[in-house]
Amino acid sequence: MIRWDLEAKKDTDEEKEWGKPRKMYTGHSHFIEDICLTGDSKFCFSASWDGTVRLWNVQTGRTFSKLVGHSRDVLSVAISPSNNMIMTGSRDSQIKIWNTRSECRYTVEDNAHTEPVSCVRFYHQTKPAICVSASWDKSIKVWDTLANMELIHTFTGHKAQITTLDMVIGDSYLASGSNDGTVMVWDMIRGRYLTSQDCDSPVNCVLFSQKLFWLVIGTNDGIQILHLPSQKIVQKITAESLSPDHLNKKNNIACLSLAWSKSGSGNVLYSGWSDSFIRVFEIESKA
């Protein structure tokens, strides 16, 4: 993992980079699939294909503790709003709940997923105390975290592996993306399907705009921005590889991850691509 120092570019800074690497975090023996920060941003969890989760001190770059218990690659990690519960999902098809001492307190067995768990997320508020998981078995499950992960809702509709989830802060909307090329939006509190959109390309990541009625979608062909009220794609972003190994290939590359800037106007979008570059976009409403 790499920690970056970020500095926004001005219109006159054509050659200036948006960020410089500050610190590298090493320790995992395989790919890192997911990361999440604690509420105070002082610690970070990383989920890896080496079958472990590491807790890092962000400032020092040292591993504080390890979560060991899955038998295969760990694909996702999340921390509860109260910072006292960690959830992991793995290629071994299990969901595990851990305490802050890195002890596994619970493994979901009843109504469990039947294939690898690709994404886990906690609801952004302590009430209702729920969490969500998505799986290659094409289902999404909503769980009660206070009742030893009692199943509340199961959402089905995707026709291939579900790869990603995102939630709207302050509301009950949940978005899911799948290798079937569609995104779906759900009400996770009421247990309802709301809408869907065909993206014509496998979906790798989804990200709600917290200020506008947008869903940003990262696909194998680039980025699409869905205006939810009108159900229309209002913008598409594609990129060609900057990797020396791909310079002779004109095919679009895949967008693999998305994150909004936490400072400024909130319309600066950071995106990770399959050529190993991070691209930064200023997204403007065309309304």
Side-chain angles (χ1 to χ4, degrees), residues 54-128:
R54 285 177 178 253
L55 174 61
W56 305 85
N57 183 308
V58 172
Q59 184 65 33
T60 65
R62 295 180 179 176
T63 297
F64 187 77
S65 63
K66 292 171 62 177
L67 280 59
V68 180
H70 285 290
S71 60
R72 298 194 65 187
D73 317 357
V74 185
L75 303 179
S76 189
V77 59
I79 188 167
S80 65
S82 55
N83 289 317
N84 65 351
M85 187 182 299
I86 301 98
M87 176 170 52
T88 55
S90 169
R91 200 183 294 265
D92 63 13
S93 305
Q94 291 186 339
I95 299 171
K96 291 182 180 291
I97 301 296
W98 311 74
N99 62 22
T100 54
R101 297 186 297 275
S102 302
E103 299 168 337
C104 182
R105 306 304 298 169
Y106 193 78
T107 300
V108 175
E109 296 181 353
D110 295 337
N111 302 301
H113 289 290
T114 57
E115 294 189 35
V117 180
S118 53
C119 191
V120 293
R121 294 291 181 263
F122 281 98
Y123 187 57
H124 47 79
Q125 296 177 352
T126 55
K127 294 182 180 180

Side-chain angles (χ1 to χ4, degrees), residues 195 197 213-214 225-234:
T195 188
Q197 176 70 33
F213 296 104
W214 289 343
I225 299 178
L226 174 65
H227 182 248
L228 291 167
S230 66
Q231 287 298 288
K232 293 182 179 180
I233 299 294
V234 296

Side-chain angles (χ1 to χ4, degrees), residues 147-258:
N148 287 331
M149 299 293 283
E150 179 181 336
L151 183 65
I152 302 173
H153 304 299
T154 299
F155 298 141
T156 58
H158 284 293
K159 296 179 174 59
Q161 301 167 344
I162 300 172
T163 55
T164 179
L165 297 170
D166 192 39
M167 303 177 185
V168 174
I169 296 176
D171 216 318
S172 59
Y173 296 124
L174 172 75
S176 58
S178 167
N179 280 342
D180 64 11
T182 65
V183 294
M184 294 187 174
V185 181
W186 317 82
D187 186 322
M188 61 184 152
I189 303 298
R190 298 173 180 83
R192 297 175 183 171
Y193 162 83
L194 298 177
T195 188
S196 63
Q197 176 70 33
D198 190 350
C199 300
D200 298 318
S201 179
V203 177
N204 302 312
C205 47
V206 291
L207 180 66
F208 280 108
S209 168
Q210 304 298 337
K211 295 186 177 182
L212 297 168
F213 296 104
W214 289 343
L215 181 65
V216 185
I217 307 161
T219 76
N220 279 0
D221 291 327
I223 296 172
Q224 301 181 29
I225 299 178
L226 174 65
H227 182 248
L228 291 167
S230 66
Q231 287 298 288
K232 293 182 179 180
I233 299 294
V234 296
Q235 193 168 353
K236 291 186 177 182
I237 302 171
T238 58
E240 294 182 359
S241 177
L242 297 175
S243 170
D245 298 332
H246 303 155
L247 287 181
N248 294 326
K249 299 180 181 180
K250 295 299 182 181
N251 293 334
N252 292 335
I253 55 176
C255 176
L256 303 177
S257 60
L258 295 165

